[in-house]
Amino acid sequence: MGIKITGTGSYIPNSIEKNEDFHQHQFLNADGSKIDYPNEVIVDKFKSITGIVERRYADDQLVASDLGFLAAQKAIDDAGINAEEIDYIICAHNFGDVKANTIQSDILPCLASRIKHRLRIKNPKCVAYDILFGCPGWVEGVIQAQAFIKAGMAKRCLVIGAETLSRVVDKHDRDSMIYSDGAGASIVEATEEDGGIIAHESASFTYDEAYYLYFGNSNNKELCPDTRYIKMHGRKIYEFALTNVAQAMKDCLEKSGIDISEVKKVLIHQANEKMDEAIINRFYRLFKSKAPEGIMPMSIHKLGNSSVATVPTLFDLIRNNKLEDHQIHKGDVIIFASVGAGMHINAIVYRY
């Protein structure tokens, strides 16, 4: 028996926010002081580091659970299954449903329950719950789905990552340009085929690292001090990810028993182009090897960082031949890896 992803779907919002759209923003330092450089310089430097040219924002009438539903329906259709036979719906997110132009998160009921409701699934034994695990949430959801199937508690699970980060950013913070909205979903089920999930690795670093990503005040000190926005210590995250994600990927691959020469694609959370390049190079150096050309597909340039949605969306795009110069074929070995608030890291070695 193998445990495989038999269907995928994603929802990429239509609204495009280009880098030049930030030229009129009022960017401030964390202490509220004015930044000495003009916005054009700030934006150009941002692009050179992150690789982001544009990002997607959800339409005002949609919330994260709507995006998750749209991605989930595609995954169900792609797998060709009866939704009533899904045993678990696991929805990864970080901020719940945040309506446009509001500051309150809504997670009652949980997003997985809302998505199950939208899918019109009647079966009460289809258990729906949310997972809060930072950006690695979808990968962790797949790991949990595998555990349920191995334990005999489930045969088929729907794992979703959905987020509208554009609604929790401080527009006076340069880091706000990183974030975007989107959703990705997958059907994970037991099959009679070989392959699928071969090994996984997961860890939470909280002793010193718990608040590398956090909720904090706006850089604009004239705004309400009680309103919080997503904030991060970028340099600390970069250094943490460079060491720990590469090591988690190495540990996972060694656990799988597969040689690094067999790896065809590495799908890393789309957080920052330079950071991901550094991680993949460090990973291959751990095996005294050089990263092959085209090993690491990237979607961040056009889609930005949609947190839990980046990895499943990237996988869906490749499966459907929608990412130029990247294909996967039956038998190919893929590594999924992510890092995010917590600080959490995880990885999966998967044979397609």
Side-chain angles (χ1 to χ4, degrees), residues 94-95 103 105 168-169 211 213-217 227-232:
N94 296 294
F95 299 101
I103 59 171
S105 173
V168 294
V169 296
Y211 292 94
L213 277 146
Y214 62 100
F215 242 21
N217 293 334
T227 304
R228 299 289 190 269
Y229 307 87
I230 185 171
K231 296 283 179 174
M232 66 177 180

Side-chain angles (χ1 to χ4, degrees), residues 145-174:
Q146 175 204 214
F148 288 143
I149 294 168
K150 278 188 171 181
M153 296 168 60
K155 293 181 179 178
R156 181 178 292 123
C157 302
L158 168 61
V159 184
I160 305 157
E163 197 64 85
T164 53
L165 290 177
S166 68
R167 297 175 187 175
V168 294
V169 296
D170 173 14
K171 293 182 179 180
H172 300 282
D173 188 335
R174 287 167 286 186

Side-chain angles (χ1 to χ4, degrees), residues 241-306:
L242 183 58
T243 301
N244 293 290
V245 178
Q247 187 63 48
M249 290 161 58
K250 179 179 185 289
D251 293 345
C252 192
L253 188 60
E254 289 178 339
K255 191 185 295 183
S256 76
I258 292 172
D259 190 82
I260 193 168
S261 62
E262 285 194 61
V263 177
K264 300 300 182 186
K265 297 292 177 188
V266 180
L267 276 56
I268 300 179
H269 166 53
Q270 303 291 286
N272 176 315
E273 182 182 44
K274 288 285 189 291
M275 185 176 84
D276 285 357
E277 288 174 349
I279 290 170
I280 199 74
N281 288 329
R282 172 71 68 90
F283 169 62
Y284 273 88
R285 280 202 301 273
L286 290 172
F287 287 94
K288 297 179 171 53
S289 182
K290 185 177 180 181
E293 190 77 23
I295 192 73
M296 185 180 68
M298 298 291 289
S299 62
I300 193 169
H301 309 99
K302 297 289 186 180
L303 302 184
N305 175 357
S306 56

Side-chain angles (χ1 to χ4, degrees), residues 7 48 50 90 166 257 277 320:
S48 70
T50 66
I90 305 168
S166 68
E277 288 174 349
N320 288 287

Side-chain angles (χ1 to χ4, degrees), residues 21-205:
D21 295 329
F22 290 90
H23 286 177
Q24 305 306 316
H25 278 228
Q26 182 193 32
F27 291 120
L28 301 169
N29 292 308
D31 62 3
S33 62
K34 187 177 182 299
I35 297 173
D36 292 334
Y37 303 104
N39 280 11
E40 289 81 1
V41 173
I42 293 171
V43 173
D44 284 348
K45 184 177 181 182
F46 165 83
K47 177 188 171 185
S48 70
I49 295 171
T50 66
I52 298 173
V53 176
E54 59 189 43
R55 72 287 293 142
R56 301 298 183 102
Y57 290 169
D59 292 343
D60 284 356
Q61 73 272 20
L62 299 175
V63 290
S65 61
D66 294 324
L67 310 190
F69 157 72
L70 293 165
Q73 188 63 69
K74 290 179 182 178
I76 291 167
D77 293 343
D78 185 47
I81 63 166
N82 178 356
E84 294 292 338
E85 296 178 354
I86 295 172
D87 297 302
Y88 280 87
I89 298 175
I90 305 168
C91 183
H93 64 88
N94 296 294
F95 299 101
D97 280 351
V98 182
K99 291 182 180 178
N101 304 311
T102 67
I103 59 171
Q104 188 172 20
S105 173
D106 180 2
I107 53 171
L108 185 65
C110 70
L111 270 59
S113 289
R114 297 177 189 209
I115 292 168
K116 180 183 175 184
H117 173 75
R118 289 286 305 278
L119 292 169
R120 307 312 294 151
I121 295 173
K122 294 180 179 179
N123 178 12
K125 292 187 178 181
C126 169
V127 178
Y129 73 92
D130 292 359
I131 176 172
L132 300 176
F133 201 71
C135 293
W138 177 83
V139 176
E140 196 68 20
V142 172
I143 291 170
Q144 291 186 2
Q146 175 204 214
F148 288 143
I149 294 168
K150 278 188 171 181
M153 296 168 60
K155 293 181 179 178
R156 181 178 292 123
C157 302
L158 168 61
V159 184
I160 305 157
E163 197 64 85
T164 53
L165 290 177
S166 68
R167 297 175 187 175
V168 294
V169 296
D170 173 14
K171 293 182 179 180
H172 300 282
D173 188 335
R174 287 167 286 186
D175 290 338
S176 65
M177 293 187 283
I178 293 173
Y179 301 114
S180 64
D181 307 337
S186 57
I187 297 294
V188 181
E189 60 181 318
T191 73
E192 294 182 358
E193 298 180 24
D194 292 332
I197 300 168
I198 299 171
H200 73 269
E201 190 74 19
S202 194
S204 298
F205 292 78

Side-chain angles (χ1 to χ4, degrees), residues 212-213 232-241 275 343:
Y212 284 179
L213 277 146
M232 66 177 180
H233 297 296
R235 172 50 60 177
K236 289 183 177 180
I237 293 171
Y238 181 96
E239 293 169 352
F240 170 85
M275 185 176 84
M343 290 288 292

